[in-house]
Amino acid sequence: KLTTTAAPAANNLPTVSLTIPKLTFWTYERVVHSYSDIDGDSPTQFEIDNVSNTKGGIAFYTSGLGLFEAVPSQVIPASQMSGLWVRGAGVNSQQPFRIRAHDGKGWGPWSDVTIRTGAEPNKRPVVTVPNFSFPANTGNHPIGNKIQLYDANTDGDAITKLEIKDDTGGHSFIVE
């Protein structure tokens, strides 16, 4: 008696991509990934690879694996991908990474992503000055004790120049 069975269906490999915003120095952002598998297979694991093999810069974090730089590549269980974070480097940088997914039957193709780290954009200072007035045409008036500078700027830059404008008389001056 001859028994035949149908050949198993070919596996369509899964695909994955990452969305990562520009990072600022040493800050963490949650990694958003997009997974797809035509066969409907669920992912079993992912692999992230630091293509430049550069240590000391951008790193990833999950509660199960801790902090890692993906040098060499790092396999991440699918159950931990929703808790994947990325940390920016301490300097302006661009680092190439790649990621792929496994559906329990095979690894999908690598998907490339460049992760960028840079300084926070400068935040303009906000200064409050109380209202005060001087009689017209009476010469110079010291105002140092009348101005209390409060800088609501959160990036820590010092105020280096201050321009004060007269809203009603059209006069202004610069303090350096």
Side-chain angles (χ1 to χ4, degrees), residues 3 7 24 27 32 34 46 53 61 73-75 77 79 93 100 107 129 137 139-140 146 165-166 169 171 175:
T3 306
T24 56
T27 61
V32 176
S34 175
F46 296 86
N53 288 319
Y61 173 84
S73 65
Q74 177 69 52
V75 173
S79 62
S93 68
R100 63 183 180 167
W107 285 106
V129 178
N137 301 318
N140 294 333
K146 296 185 185 250
K165 292 185 176 184
D166 177 0
H171 303 286
V175 179

Side-chain angles (χ1 to χ4, degrees), residues 37-142:
D37 188 302
I38 294 172
D39 303 326
D41 298 326
S42 296
T44 58
Q45 54 191 353
F46 296 86
E47 184 176 15
I48 295 179
D49 181 42
N50 180 334
V51 177
S52 65
N53 288 319
T54 305
K55 284 192 163 197
I58 293 169
F60 296 89
Y61 173 84
T62 70
S63 61
L65 298 172
L67 193 65
F68 62 92
E69 294 181 348
V71 177
S73 65
Q74 177 69 52
V75 173
I76 303 166
S79 62
Q80 293 186 27
M81 277 301 284
S82 63
L84 181 65
W85 291 78
V86 61
R87 182 195 70 194
V91 296
N92 288 325
S93 68
Q94 294 187 73
Q95 281 184 261
F97 286 84
R98 60 187 184 164
I99 185 170
R100 63 183 180 167
H102 197 282
D103 64 0
K105 300 172 187 165
W107 285 106
W110 288 105
S111 173
D112 297 327
V113 62
T114 298
I115 302 175
R116 294 171 176 79
T117 301
E120 250 186 86
N122 184 46
K123 295 178 182 170
R124 293 181 178 199
V126 177
V127 178
T128 56
V129 178
N131 288 329
F132 58 89
S133 61
F134 300 106
N137 301 318
T138 58
N140 294 333
H141 297 276

Side-chain angles (χ1 to χ4, degrees), residues 150-174:
Y150 167 72
D151 182 4
N153 180 354
T154 58
D155 63 11
D157 297 337
I159 295 174
T160 58
K161 187 184 288 187
L162 180 67
E163 180 179 11
I164 299 176
K165 292 185 176 184
D166 177 0
D167 287 341
T168 57
H171 303 286
S172 65
F173 58 93
I174 295 177

